[in-house]
Amino acid sequence: MRRIIYSWSFMLVLACCIGCSTTDQGPASSVVEGSEIRVYEVFGMDCPGCQGGVEKLVKKIPAVQDAKADWKKKKLTVAVRPGSDLDDEDVLDAIRRANFTPGKRIQ
Amino acid sequence: MKRLLLLIFIMAVAQIAERVNAAGISVDAGLTPAEDRWIFRTQMRYMRGKDDPAPTDREMEMYAFPVVMAYGFRSDVTLLVKQVTKYRKMTMAGSVSRDIGLDDLYLLGKYRFYRRNTREYTFGIAPTLALELPTGDDDFTSDTWDLEPGLFVSWRSGPWASDLNAAYKWNGFADDGRAGLNPGDEISIDLALARQFSIGGSSDTSIAPVLEFSYGHISPDDLSGHDVSNTGESLFFISPGAKFTRLSFILEALVQIPAWQDQKGSQLEQGTRFIIGARYMF
């Protein structure tokens, strides 16, 4: 039994190390020069985990180069892939599928 | 050993995952992944039975290791599966017995009936329906199919969060258990309150003190229409805890302190329980 507890605890510590060392630079630092930046209001996010949920779905849109959400400011910043035509409705749909409600596009 | 390897494999898969979501610590119904996303949760729970009212000087210690996978089938539908591995040590009149094995498999579906997200607050209502299959090892299975309808209500405003979960577990809804024994039904009500504090000015990391209030009632088992003695209890826990959130990763810990309890017959009293665990969304 002790072996199971020690193994489980070791995995937890390992998970903590990896989870805490994860960094997220967001569009501001990862976008190549010339990308169009759009900012949308998002309602319903209440913790850092919510940010990840919406970012992941928005990043799946081919015309999106990068996305960064902020649960405190209730905003989603999207960098459009250069040369692509991003439909706002695709972003709003991704926000809804992440269980949140899109507000207006503010930039 | 195979189970340990399976757990290591699941944890390894979780390492390549990205981010996670939030809710209470002792209840799984709050897990709500985005559409086509998964949440993985693992915990270690310690509980103890003590203060034997009979002269047998019994004591019970239990470690439970639940592994939960929740999937966002649609933006409004969550599917969840939970498998608990348990270790139990019983001491009675100086002799010790130890059991280790799997508990029954638990499946849950949640439908977001109503959700309102505004600039000021978020409010949601989601009915749940769970099924517990008699798949566990002999020492831990209830031997019955159990149905558990429930209701999950969440409210958020700024950094404040609260979740209310109420469920009625209809044990043996389709059959009787071993030797015609019908396990007593269960009522559980859990209220979780939390407040997020950002760390370092970034929105990527936060810590949240949590306070849970949990009431549970288990009816006495039934055998041929008669209550079985020394079965059935009511419990009320007050549980302080904390969650540390870093993007999709959550580390969580909770101490469940029994504030009131009423056991039928010569059952052991419940001691303080401890929960520590982690969550990922990927």
Side-chain angles (χ1 to χ4, degrees), chain B residues 151-180:
Chain B
L151 189 69
F152 184 79
V153 180
S154 65
W155 177 82
R156 307 275 188 275
S157 182
W160 293 94
S162 68
D163 290 341
L164 176 69
N165 183 66
Y168 180 86
K169 194 172 174 194
W170 183 6
N171 287 323
F173 80 98
D175 56 353
D176 284 340
R178 221 170 294 173

Side-chain angles (χ1 to χ4, degrees), chain A residues 6-21:
Chain A
Y6 291 154
S7 304
W8 188 90
S9 304
F10 172 74
M11 284 189 289
L12 191 69
V13 170
L14 191 67
C16 290
C17 294
I18 295 171
C20 296
S21 65

